[in-house]
Amino acid sequence: MSVSEKMMSLHRYFIWADRMRVHCEQLLKSKRQDVLNTESIEHLEYIMYMSFWYGELFVVVEGWQNLKISDPKIDELLKNEENLKYLKRYRNGVFHFQENYFDTRFTDLIEEKSSPKWIRELNMEFSRYFLDYFKNQKSQP
């Protein structure tokens, strides 16, 4: 399999993650008060989008590491071992049944104060990387 095919495959996972981010942010923007009400359907919907975004973003991290891709900004963000560990555990919580509703796989990441900013930065840097990568691919003969 070519490098280009592997990159397209990794990009697919990023697109899925980023689409969940868009849904999450649109819901928060349009129905902020409802989202903040933990008893509302909008709150549950927001958590769903956020959870699938976070879970899928870790799949992108795994692919990045498996393909041994390097980028200074992304590599620097991935040095945050604590948030990376929490993101992986969150992914595991999302995609594997947890009996405990407030399982630590969910709560540890949420309680880590630096995680939302870190996740947004990581997502933004992956976006930048893929845009640059595919732009450069188009310009190749």
Side-chain angles (χ1 to χ4, degrees):
M1 184 178 301
S2 73
V3 171
S4 180
E5 288 173 312
K6 291 176 184 179
M7 288 301 291
M8 287 178 60
S9 180
L10 182 59
H11 184 246
R12 171 183 55 203
Y13 292 100
F14 173 73
I15 292 297
W16 291 347
D18 197 54
R19 189 64 188 151
M20 293 298 103
R21 176 195 61 80
V22 168
H23 284 308
C24 189
E25 290 179 352
Q26 285 175 340
L27 187 61
L28 186 59
K29 184 177 179 180
S30 67
K31 297 186 177 185
R32 184 172 189 80
Q33 283 305 112
D34 293 329
V35 167
L36 297 176
N37 175 1
T38 58
E39 295 178 7
S40 71
I41 191 72
E42 289 82 6
H43 178 76
L44 291 174
E45 190 176 5
Y46 175 80
I47 297 299
M48 174 189 68
Y49 289 137
M50 183 189 76
S51 294
F52 282 110
W53 168 26
Y54 288 8
E56 202 65 38
L57 189 61
F58 188 78
V59 173
V60 177
V61 169
E62 281 184 319
W64 180 268
Q65 293 170 335
N66 288 344
L67 295 176
K68 297 179 179 21
I69 304 168
S70 184
D71 173 85
K73 291 180 180 177
I74 294 173
D75 295 344
E76 187 62 33
L77 288 165
L78 294 179
K79 286 181 183 176
N80 186 327
E81 293 179 17
E82 195 74 4
N83 279 340
L84 198 57
K85 175 185 78 174
Y86 290 146
L87 186 62
K88 180 179 183 175
R89 293 184 73 237
Y90 196 93
R91 185 275 316 260
N92 290 344
V94 170
F95 294 113
H96 301 280
F97 175 70
Q98 305 306 316
E99 289 182 16
N100 182 354
Y101 191 84
F102 295 105
D103 189 281
T104 59
R105 287 171 190 85
F106 301 117
T107 58
D108 286 349
L109 181 69
I110 301 304
E111 291 171 1
E112 175 56 47
K113 301 297 183 211
S114 68
S115 68
K117 182 178 186 282
W118 177 81
I119 288 169
R120 288 184 186 287
E121 287 178 16
L122 184 61
N123 198 98
M124 183 177 67
E125 291 303 331
F126 276 130
S127 180
R128 175 203 45 84
Y129 180 86
F130 283 117
L131 287 170
D132 290 348
Y133 177 84
F134 288 111
K135 180 180 174 185
N136 290 336
Q137 290 297 106
K138 279 187 171 182
S139 65
Q140 300 292 323

